[in-house]
Amino acid sequence: MQLEYLKETRLLVSGCSFTDYCWSTWADYLSPYFAQFDNLGSAGSDNATIARNVIDSARPHDNVIIMWSGFDRWSGYTDSPPVKSNSTILLPPKNNNHWCHTGSIQSNKLFLVNHYHRVERFHTTMDYINLLDSHSYKNNYTVHHFSAFPFFLGEIEKDLDPRITAIYNKYSIANNHLEEPSLQEYQIQNDQYIKTKHEYHPTDYSDNHPTPLTHWEYCSKIIGPKIGIDLGSTVPEYVLEEQHNLVVNHHASKYDKKYEN
C-alpha cells in the first residue's frame, strides 16, 4: 500500500475508548496521512457496536482500522441520556439521536461472564470480525484488525482456553493483526501503565487508559508498519506536550489540539 494512495482516501476507525477518548489516540496520530478522517469510536463499546458502526458508515475505497474491544463486553441502550457519576464526567455525546449507548460497565461484563460461556462469547466476536471482512470485500473497502486487549482473554478471563484458539484458527481474515500485542499489552510490557486524573475524571488517580505517548508509540511500532505508514522513530513535540499536560497538569487536551504533518 503506497502512502500517496492513502493521502487520497478516507481513514475510518472504530473501537472503544482506546480509539476515541478525551486525549489523542493512535487514530488521531494516523489522521494527517489521509484526505479525510472519521472516528466512530465510543467509550464502552462492545464488538457488536464496533462492527455495526462500520457497516453503517463505510464507503468504497475507505481505509478502515478497527481496534476490537474485549469479547466479554456487551452494550446496553437507554431512552434517556446517560447520567454522570460522582467521579466521572461523560464525554460529549457524538450523536443527538434518540438512542444513547451507555457502554459496557463492569456489571455488564460480569453479567455476560456469569450467564454466557466464554466459547460462545469469543465465537460471537469472531463472527462479527468475519462479517466485516466479508462486508469490506463486497463493498470495496479495506479493513485492518487490531485489538485493544489481549485478544484471546478479553478483559475478564485470566487463563487461555484452548477451545478459543481452535475457534480462531478456523477463520481466515484478511489484514488480520490480532496476534500482534494488543494496545493494553504494549502499555504494560513497556512499563507505561500510568494512572491519571483530569477534568473528565477529576476525583482520583484511577484512569488507567493508555496515555498519548503510549498511543503514539503503538501507532508507530505496531499499526503504522502494518498499513504502510512510517511515523518515524522520533516522538513529535506535540505528543510529548500532550503527555506532559495530562500526567503533570491533569489536563486532557485532545479537544483543543489540531494535528499537522
Side-chain angles (χ1 to χ4, degrees):
M1 187 180 297
Q2 299 297 317
L3 182 56
E4 289 303 318
Y5 166 73
L6 295 178
K7 287 182 177 180
E8 299 174 356
T9 62
R10 179 174 73 146
L11 172 64
L12 183 70
V13 304
S14 189
C16 61
S17 56
F18 278 39
T19 294
D20 187 55
Y21 204 49
C22 52
W23 56 74
S24 300
T25 71
W26 59 270
D28 297 296
Y29 297 137
L30 281 180
S31 63
Y33 295 90
F34 294 82
Q36 185 180 348
F37 170 56
D38 288 305
N39 193 332
L40 306 175
S42 180
S45 291
D46 68 336
N47 288 333
T49 302
I50 291 169
R52 290 167 185 155
N53 284 344
V54 173
I55 289 173
D56 288 344
S57 304
R59 303 193 298 254
H61 310 299
D62 278 348
N63 285 278
V64 178
I65 303 177
I66 300 179
M67 182 74 72
W68 294 99
S69 192
F71 65 84
D72 35 29
R73 288 188 179 197
W74 68 286
S75 290
Y77 291 81
T78 177
D79 287 331
S80 302
V83 179
K84 72 178 182 180
S85 68
N86 292 329
S87 61
T88 303
I89 300 174
L90 294 171
L91 301 184
K94 288 193 166 186
N95 300 305
N96 295 319
N97 54 19
H98 183 63
W99 292 96
C100 294
H101 169 68
T102 62
S104 294
I105 59 176
Q106 187 71 13
S107 60
N108 294 130
K109 298 171 191 175
L110 292 177
F111 174 85
L112 198 63
V113 169
N114 291 335
H115 295 281
Y116 291 85
H117 196 278
R118 69 182 73 177
V119 170
E120 180 180 6
R121 288 182 274 123
F122 183 80
H123 220 152
T124 300
T125 279
M126 288 305 303
D127 286 342
Y128 279 115
I129 293 173
N130 187 56
L131 172 64
L132 271 190
D133 190 55
S134 299
H135 189 263
S136 67
Y137 178 79
K138 180 180 179 180
N139 292 276
N140 194 28
Y141 64 89
T142 302
V143 58
H144 290 263
H145 306 273
F146 296 88
S147 184
F149 304 100
F151 186 68
F152 299 116
L153 296 176
E155 295 179 88
I156 300 295
E157 301 293 344
K158 302 299 181 184
D159 301 311
L160 179 62
D161 188 327
R163 292 171 294 182
I164 284 179
T165 54
I167 291 169
Y168 172 81
N169 289 329
K170 292 179 181 179
Y171 290 80
S172 178
I173 306 295
N175 302 312
N176 178 4
H177 316 300
L178 296 169
E179 294 184 58
E180 294 291 330
S182 68
L183 180 50
Q184 186 187 65
E185 288 173 301
Y186 183 91
Q187 177 191 24
I188 294 172
Q189 291 169 2
N190 289 275
D191 296 323
Q192 295 179 4
Y193 194 79
I194 302 171
K195 292 186 176 182
T196 63
K197 69 175 183 178
H198 46 85
E199 63 265 42
Y200 298 100
H201 198 112
T203 59
D204 55 29
Y205 289 89
S206 58
D207 190 338
N208 56 16
H209 283 78
T211 61
L213 179 60
T214 303
H215 276 282
W216 187 88
E217 289 187 0
Y218 188 81
C219 188
S220 174
K221 297 177 181 178
I222 304 296
I223 298 179
K226 296 298 182 182
I227 66 171
I229 291 178
D230 182 6
L231 276 74
S233 58
T234 302
V235 182
E237 186 62 33
Y238 62 79
V239 177
L240 298 176
E241 179 183 354
E242 189 171 16
Q243 179 82 4
H244 179 84
N245 284 339
L246 174 64
V247 175
V248 178
N249 298 330
H250 316 301
H251 172 45
S253 56
K254 175 175 179 176
Y255 297 116
D256 54 33
K257 178 174 285 295
K258 294 182 178 180
Y259 303 95
E260 296 179 358
N261 263 330

